[in-house]
Every structure is written in structure tokens, then in C-alpha cells.
Amino acid sequence: MKYKNGRNNHQRLIGKLLTGNRGFIRHLKINYFPVFTVLVLVTTFLCVITFPVTATVEISSEPQTVSLQQGKKLYESGRFTESVKILQQVVKKYRNQGDELQEAVALSNLALVHQKSGNLTQAQQTINESLKLLENTSTNQNLNILAPILDIQGSIQLDLGQAEQALQTWQRSEKIYQQLNNKSGIVQARINQAQAWQVLGFYHRALTTLTELQQNLESQPDSITKAVELRALGDTLQLSGNLQQSNQVLQQSLKIAQKLDSPQDISSALFSLGNTARAKQDFESAIAFYQKAAAIAPDRVTKVQALINQFTLLVNREDTTAQQLLPPIQNLLKNLPVSQTSIYARIHLAQSLLKLETKPEKVVREQFFQLSIFQLSTTAIKQAQDLGDKRAESFALGTLGNIYEKTEQFANAQSLTQQALNIALGIDTPDITYRWYWQLGRLLEKQGNIQDAIIAYDGAISNLQTLRNDLVAVNRDVQYSFKESVEPVYRESVALLLSPQNVGKTQQTDQDQTNRDQKILDKARQRIEALQLAELDDYFRQACIDAQTVILDKVVDEDNPTAAIIYPIILPQQLQVIVKIPKQPLRSYTVKKSQEEIEAVLTQLREYLLESDREEEVQALSQEVYGWLIENIESDLQNSGVKTLVFVLDGALRNVPMATLYDGQQYLIEKYAVALSLGLQLLPPKPIAEQPLQVIAAGLVEPPTEFKKFPPLPGITSEFDLINRAGVSTKQLLNQEFTSNNLEKSVNTNPFNVLHLATHGQFSSRPENTFILAADGAINVNQFDSLLRRRDEIRPEPLEMLVLSACQTATGDNRATLGLAGVSVKAGARSTLASLWHISDRSTAVLMGEFYRELATSKVTKAEALRRAQVKLLKKYPNYEYPAFWAPYVLLGNWL
């Protein structure tokens, strides 16, 4: 997680906190105020999200306002407790004088300091008092004050998780800025609104707002203000995951700063470019940007932050040259005044040092730990306490606890972690509370206290759940730390729940024990589902699933009692499999295979599936996986009359088609229909056999010129012909007719329940690289979502099925299948039929023709129709009998 340039990132627009004279306001100045919204990682410390707009009012300076100047200086130095005391005196003075305008200004700045110090409840109360004094504001002079105070209110509301209220507040401030013809204020209000839209999950709306802002800024004459606003826009685009646009905008900001010869703004732009490069995983460029930012920075804060970000990158890459940066970083830290900035710099550095793998003898390493990491952490604790900054104190205490954990001093670690947790709970900060619950759970487990460890993990998960929208709205670098900062909490929790010490080990009667174990198994699979949803939210940077759903167990027990659900859960030292057979209680079993062993087999199997001369190896590896997932329950499945297997797959298992599992004689698809599900819930079931098929089919034989790496797909014409011959009503868009505009028009004007896309598509670990090809270029997954969402406004009925007949997931990319799953979810489709890899378009045409023929004439479920089509290729078409031709097609979602 990167250490973002906060106060100094926008130093040129930071005006005086308060100055004043004669009770008369001269003019208003907007500044950029950094709000610390933190998602903490195990190995790196914090991410500072900058909400670019807050405000202070500048009043001419006179002797009577010396205290206001003192408040400003204390605020800027991070001495918030002292600043609050001064500003409270200022508020009291203006109240006694009956000067409501100046009192409102003072209160707004007091709210700002409360917010900065993490006291959000007091901040909200104070900003409301300020606004109450301006209720009947109408003059331009008063409006000049009201607008920036609303900006402050919006940022406090967003900090409190009130994104909708924040959006409305910033829309109101924008209207005032428009009335005042304050173009800079308008830009800043819209940047804030874009972040609120993002938090609310309206990705497309946020992107549209930011794109319009970029165009408006480009038309303005070059100035320092424009450079800073472009930099704020670039940072916000980065938060929204639009890394290419972020880089472009930040380069513009840098160019203007260089033209105007402003070292501070040049350094800040380079710093932001480094953060964007890092988010793009272009680490070489990121390091280069940080080096340049540090070299040119005129202030120590920007310099030390750039050096620490550079140091952290080198540490993460296990580059021992990172140690060369320690002396200049430590010297800079010694000379930094005590402030929130210096506290977080020390904490971040301590967390990075914990990751540094050095080669010296153990005793040297221990000395290094004691002299550097402990000193940094204890200094940070003292500084936080001196400043009265509870949030920073919690971070510092918890970090020191983490250091004691690493050095196996568990008693000290637990004491410090508990202190950090108590503070975090006291100031209502779930983003750090979850971390200390997690840390406490690890410590309790290491000391053998399994039951209390489970309770601690429950606390961590609960706080993560409350953070769902916040997690997906934070910086992309945090998103790619998901594997380190979020996923382990869920997996470790499940490992504890299913541990031998917890399942089947109480002194209860058999029935009581069975009931207890059922609850544990249900809790474990719900926790894995929560992880699946968190991964999907993380992938798209927005909460994806909010439609009304039904529980899978109900579908299996009541609507489709011939289906069983299998939940394989990959844990560090074992594979746990939970099984739901119709009208039977949950059961589970353990496979003694480590995560590394499992992933090695699955990776090899995926590679062999793509090679036509590896059938024996494929069958051998598939039989091993069959032994993990099916062999233990084979007889129960047969005795229960199960015909469909629904897999809720985990991790690397998603990259292997379950249809290829082999029992030594037959592939799984020869015995069972197979479907995949994202989790325990499904859009309400509605068998496709109960309704006539109406298909919009769009296909592209020749990819656009700029995508020549994709081969032609001449079999698409045959594919469409076979679909027609299956007796399915079809509206076709072929070749040049298949454009994004024509597709949107067809979707909005034609009745249909199946959308069939026969074109190249790519699914990767990044949604911006996940797309389908049309004649006019790539349709990004988010654009595709927007296109179909407009249809939802006209037809509320869910799309019955989305078919992607020539797409592929990125080889070896465990997150790539999230894109595939996400397309279905975001399209509001009950189910999606797609391929894990691209194969012969001729075999695809045959399979799709057979699939639609079975649906149209046999009135079977989608899963059974797919099974029959796959078996037809396996047994009736000698050229296509190898699994690579029929296996990659997977049905995701509703299998009925």
C-alpha cells in the first residue's frame, strides 16, 4: 500500500486556516485537505485517500486574531489537540461578539481539525452548528463561505459512510459555485462527487464525471491552480481504477508544473505518477518516479514519503538495495517536526522493515530489528499520544504488537494488540478494528486458545463486512493487496472453524454434536461465500450483487432435488470439502494436501488440457482431482439420485473445468451435468424449458485491425446457422452490423431472453483488460455492464442466459475467472455459458448448435443441455473427442 502525499500533495492550494480583522471577510480560499481513510495491510501500513476539496476562509490579519493564526500553525504541524483548544476559544470569542458569520467560519475549521484527528462524531456535530448559523444565507459574501463549508460537511459524511448524503451535499455546493461563477470550486465539487458515485457503486457515472472534468481542465489556460487540479483529478482517476487516464492527466499536470518551474508541483506530480505506475504494477517506472520526486522535492515531507514508497517497493521485490535508502530516510525522519505525517511515516517504514529479508547472521538481524523497528514504533506511539491522535496511536500500538508477534513474544504482542483494538473500537473505525481483531485471533491461535481465536476472527470478519463498499472504493494498490490484507482473514477463519479442535470435539450428546457441527459447516461455507463476493467486489471496485436472491440449499431441497452442491475450500495445509446432498444435512471431509500441492496439480492439468497429445497425463491428473472432490461421496450421490453437480469453486480450482474429472473409466460429464455457482445464493430459479427461446446473436468473423493478434472466426457463420436450424427465434448482428451502438439498440428494442456473443473476448485479473470485441473495437466489461443496465430500466426481468462462445480466460491467472463470473453478475443474467479458453471455432459451432437444439426440443435444464452437447462431441465427433474441444465450456449460475 502506498504512502500517499497528503498535505504537501496540494500545498499550492492550501490557504491560511484562519486570519481575520474587523469582523469582515475579504475573500475565500479553497484548500485540499487529506482525509485518512485507511485499509491496513499485514505487511504495509496505510493508504491515504485524498478527498481533494475542503475549505478554509481567509480573513485579513489583525492583532485580535493572533489565536486564529496559532490554531492554523498547530493544525499544519499536526498538533490537533492544541489546535482544537485554540479554535474553541476563537468560536467562543465570535459567539460573544455576536458575529455569526465569523463564528460559522471558525466552527467549520474546528470541524476540519476534529475530522483530521479522527473524531468524526464531534466533527459532524460541529459542522452542523456551523451550517445552522448560515441557514438563511443569500448574499454572495455569505455564499462564498457556505460552499466550502458544505465541502467539509461532504467529506465528513463520506468518512462516516454516508456516501449518498455526501453526494447530495457536494451537488449543493456545486450549484453555489455555479451561482458564484467559481470554476475552480465547480471542478473540486465534481471531483468529490465522482468519489461519492464510486463509493455508491455507480462506476460508469463516476467515470463520466471525471472524463468531463478532464476535458474542461484541458481548455483552461496553464496555471499552478490548473496543475494542482489536474493532479487531484489524476489521483481520483487512480482511485477509480482508471489507471491509463490517471497517467495521462498526471503527465499533463507535470508538464504544466515544469513549464511554470514549480519544484513543489513537479515533485508532487512525479510522486502521484509513481503511485499510478505502482498501481499498474509497472514497478520499474514507479521506482524511477519516486527517485525523481525525492531528488527534486523542496520539502522534507514529500522527500521522505517518496523515499519510503520507493523503499517499500524494493522490499516487496526482495531487492536488498532497499537498505541503501534507510540512512537518508532515518535522517529525514529525525528532522521532521512531530506531526501526524511523521507518525505515519515511521509506522509505514516499520511495517516495510518487517518484510525486509536480509542475509546477515541472526544476531545481527535481531540487533537490526531492535535498533530500527522497535525504535520507530515506540517513537510513533509517543508522538501519537503527545498529539492526542487516537487513530494514529492505535496504528502505532498495533504495529508494535505485530513486531512482537513476528519475534514470537506473544504475551507482549497480545497486550499491545488489545490496547490498539480498544482504541479502535472507541473511535469506531472498522477499517483498523478488523486488523487488530485479526492479529488478536492469530496470537490466540498460536497460544492454543482456539475458541477465543474464533471469536476474534468473527470480529474481524464482521468489521470487513461493514466495510464492503469502502473496501472497493479505495486505491487500486490496496485492491491488489487483497490477497494479503483480506483473503487470509477469511481462509484462516475457516481453517479454525473446521479444525479438529473445533468440529466434533465437545462433550455433548450425539444429536447436540450433530447440530453444532451443522452450524459450524454452514458458517464455514457462508464465510467462503463472503470471500467470493468480496473478491468479486474487489475485482470490479464496487459492490456487485444487490439483487434479490434465494438460498441454494432451498433450490436443491425443494426445486431441484436431483442436484448436489460441492464446496471445496483450499486452506494452507489441507483441502476441506463441504457437501450438500438433497434433503440431507451438510457433511465434510478433509484431503491432506497443502495449497502448494493442490495448485501445482491444477496448474499442470490446465496446461496439459491445452495440448492435444497429453490425454494420458490429463486423465491421470484429472483422476487425482476426482479423488479429492468426488470419490468420497460417489456412492451417496448415486443412492440419492443426483444428476447435477453444482460446484462453488475456490482459488485455482476455478481454472480447471470440472467436466474433465476422471474416475478411471469415464469423465464426470458422462455421468453428471455440471454447473458452477459463485456462492450460496442464486437469482430466483426459473427453468428455461418453461419459456420460448428468443436470442439476440452478435458475431464477428474478422477482428478489428488493431486486434490482429486474434485470429478470424469463420465458423461463426456456421454457428449462427446451426442455432437457427435448432428452431430458435434469433435476431442476428453479424460482422459490421455488430457494433457497440447496434448491440445497445437491439438490446433495448428487441424482446429476448438469451444474449449470444460469438466473438473474441478476454478475461484477465484486471477489469480494464477484460473485454469482448465488436466491429468498432473492444467493449470493456464495465461498458458492457452499462449497456445492459440500461436494458434493465426498460425490462426488469433478469436476462435468462448470456452466452460467450469464443472467449478465454488468461492462462495461469486465478483472478481471471472473476471477470467471467462478474460479467454474468453485472449483466443481471441468471446464468452464463462461456469458455475458459478459446478453441476451434468449428467445434464451437457444433457444440452450440447441439446445445440450442437440446434446449429447444428436449426441454431439459441448461446444465443437462450442455452435458449432452459435450458428450456428443466426445463420442460422436472423433476429431473433437479430446477434452480441449468440449471441456472448456462452463455454465455459471442458474442451471435449471
Side-chain angles (χ1 to χ4, degrees), residues 317-336:
R317 300 176 69 191
E318 299 184 359
D319 188 333
T320 55
T321 61
Q323 295 179 69
Q324 298 172 12
L325 295 175
L326 280 175
I329 290 174
Q330 290 172 326
N331 287 334
L332 284 165
L333 285 175
K334 287 177 185 176
N335 295 317
L336 279 182

Side-chain angles (χ1 to χ4, degrees), residues 32 41 50 54 96 292 324 333 410 505 514 548 654 753 789 852 864 880:
Y32 287 77
L41 305 186
T50 304
T54 57
N96 291 338
K292 292 176 184 176
Q324 298 172 12
L333 285 175
F410 297 135
K505 290 296 181 182
T514 299
Q548 184 177 0
R654 301 176 188 139
N753 53 12
R789 190 172 289 186
Y852 280 103
E864 177 61 18
Y880 303 141

Side-chain angles (χ1 to χ4, degrees), residues 534-584:
E535 282 190 281
L536 193 63
D537 292 346
D538 168 65
Y539 181 86
F540 284 105
R541 302 179 57 71
Q542 64 188 93
C544 289
I545 299 179
D546 55 9
Q548 184 177 0
T549 56
V550 295
I551 305 300
L552 277 185
D553 284 12
K554 180 178 181 297
V555 178
V556 166
D557 284 338
E558 299 176 13
D559 300 293
N560 187 224
T562 59
I565 313 170
I566 300 173
Y567 311 84
I569 303 170
I570 301 174
L571 300 174
Q573 301 304 322
Q574 63 193 28
L575 176 68
Q576 284 281 353
V577 183
I578 300 176
V579 181
K580 169 62 181 174
I581 292 176
K583 303 184 185 304
Q584 293 186 22

Side-chain angles (χ1 to χ4, degrees), residues 16 35 43 90 169 188 226 269 345-346 357 378 413 475 544 573 585 616 626 652-653 721 749 798 849 869 874:
K16 296 177 181 178
V35 177
T43 51
V90 173
T169 298
Q188 294 156 1
K226 179 180 178 180
R346 284 179 168 83
E357 293 294 336
T378 53
N475 179 280
C544 289
Q573 301 304 322
E616 289 185 8
Y626 184 94
L653 283 164
D721 181 55
T749 57
L874 169 63

Side-chain angles (χ1 to χ4, degrees), residues 70-187:
Q70 290 173 346
K72 169 186 178 294
K73 290 178 179 177
L74 290 168
Y75 161 75
E76 290 182 339
S77 66
R79 296 162 66 181
F80 303 127
T81 302
E82 296 168 77
S83 181
V84 165
K85 291 179 181 178
I86 295 295
L87 290 173
Q88 285 172 337
Q89 294 175 27
V90 173
V91 170
K92 185 176 180 180
K93 178 181 69 177
Y94 285 128
R95 187 170 293 159
N96 291 338
Q97 293 175 358
D99 191 338
E100 292 187 346
L101 204 58
Q102 296 268 28
E103 183 185 347
V105 171
L107 282 167
S108 71
N109 284 277
L110 179 58
L112 200 73
V113 183
H114 281 314
Q115 181 192 24
K116 178 77 169 184
S117 57
N119 192 347
L120 295 180
T121 302
Q122 190 63 49
Q124 185 179 43
Q125 180 181 332
T126 305
I127 200 67
N128 288 342
E129 287 181 44
S130 174
L131 287 167
K132 190 174 181 180
L133 293 170
L134 297 173
E135 280 180 348
N136 300 315
T137 290
S138 59
T139 67
N140 279 5
Q141 181 188 41
N142 291 5
L143 291 175
N144 265 311
I145 297 172
L146 177 60
I149 291 178
L150 289 170
D151 289 334
I152 296 172
Q153 183 188 39
S155 70
I156 293 170
Q157 288 169 330
L158 200 63
D159 265 9
L160 287 165
Q162 302 167 0
E164 192 167 349
Q165 294 94 317
L167 177 63
Q168 292 171 356
T169 298
W170 284 325
Q171 287 172 335
R172 183 183 171 195
S173 73
E174 182 190 350
K175 288 180 181 178
I176 296 173
Y177 286 129
Q178 288 174 337
Q179 185 177 338
L180 297 170
N181 196 29
N182 184 334
K183 294 181 180 179
S184 180
I186 293 169
V187 168

Side-chain angles (χ1 to χ4, degrees), residues 416-440:
L416 287 161
T417 303
Q418 190 67 60
Q419 291 177 56
L421 177 59
N422 290 342
I423 293 173
L425 288 168
I427 58 176
D428 191 23
T429 52
D431 54 327
I432 55 176
T433 301
Y434 100 85
R435 174 190 170 100
W436 307 142
Y437 267 127
W438 177 23
Q439 189 161 293
L440 183 61

Side-chain angles (χ1 to χ4, degrees), residues 589-643:
Y589 56 88
T590 303
V591 178
K592 297 294 185 181
K593 291 285 183 182
S594 70
Q595 182 174 350
E596 288 184 0
E597 293 174 299
I598 290 168
E599 290 179 349
V601 170
L602 296 173
T603 299
Q604 192 66 75
L605 175 55
R606 168 73 182 240
E607 291 177 4
Y608 285 162
L609 279 168
L610 300 175
E611 301 175 20
S612 58
D613 59 347
R614 295 281 195 171
E615 187 167 7
E616 289 185 8
E617 290 93 334
V618 165
Q619 290 181 346
L621 292 172
S622 293
Q623 190 167 355
E624 183 174 359
V625 181
Y626 184 94
W628 302 344
L629 304 183
I630 306 297
E631 192 172 316
N632 288 330
I633 56 172
E634 179 77 75
S635 60
D636 294 318
L637 294 174
Q638 293 174 353
N639 293 337
S640 300
V642 169
K643 297 180 180 179

Side-chain angles (χ1 to χ4, degrees), residues 154-318:
S155 70
I156 293 170
Q157 288 169 330
L158 200 63
D159 265 9
L160 287 165
Q162 302 167 0
E164 192 167 349
Q165 294 94 317
L167 177 63
Q168 292 171 356
T169 298
W170 284 325
Q171 287 172 335
R172 183 183 171 195
S173 73
E174 182 190 350
K175 288 180 181 178
I176 296 173
Y177 286 129
Q178 288 174 337
Q179 185 177 338
L180 297 170
N181 196 29
N182 184 334
K183 294 181 180 179
S184 180
I186 293 169
V187 168
Q188 294 156 1
R190 288 180 181 172
I191 288 175
N192 280 340
Q193 288 172 47
Q195 294 190 53
W197 284 121
Q198 178 70 16
V199 172
L200 288 167
F202 293 93
Y203 175 92
H204 182 74
R205 184 67 175 268
L207 180 59
T208 300
T209 300
L210 292 172
T211 302
E212 291 172 354
L213 281 172
Q214 182 180 352
Q215 294 168 351
N216 291 338
L217 283 171
E218 286 175 355
S219 64
Q220 295 178 12
D222 290 346
S223 66
I224 292 298
T225 298
K226 179 180 178 180
V228 174
E229 288 176 348
L230 283 169
R231 190 165 70 246
L233 176 58
D235 290 341
T236 306
L237 284 163
Q238 181 197 351
L239 296 178
S240 301
N242 298 292
L243 302 181
Q244 210 59 40
Q245 280 183 273
S246 172
N247 183 74
Q248 178 186 346
V249 171
L250 291 171
Q251 288 286 359
Q252 288 178 275
S253 175
L254 174 62
K255 186 176 179 181
I256 294 170
Q258 290 170 332
K259 176 182 175 182
L260 300 176
D261 193 25
S262 172
Q264 178 61 60
D265 293 291
I266 293 171
S267 176
S268 295
L270 289 167
F271 187 87
S272 290
L273 281 164
N275 290 341
T276 295
R278 181 175 176 175
K280 291 170 67 178
Q281 301 185 48
D282 182 359
F283 301 127
E284 294 297 333
S285 295
I287 289 171
F289 281 128
Y290 291 143
Q291 287 174 334
K292 292 176 184 176
I296 199 173
D299 67 294
R300 287 175 296 186
V301 173
T302 303
K303 186 182 291 289
V304 75
Q305 290 176 333
L307 287 173
I308 289 177
N309 274 15
Q310 183 185 343
F311 174 79
T312 304
L313 265 185
L314 292 171
V315 168
N316 290 342
R317 300 176 69 191
E318 299 184 359

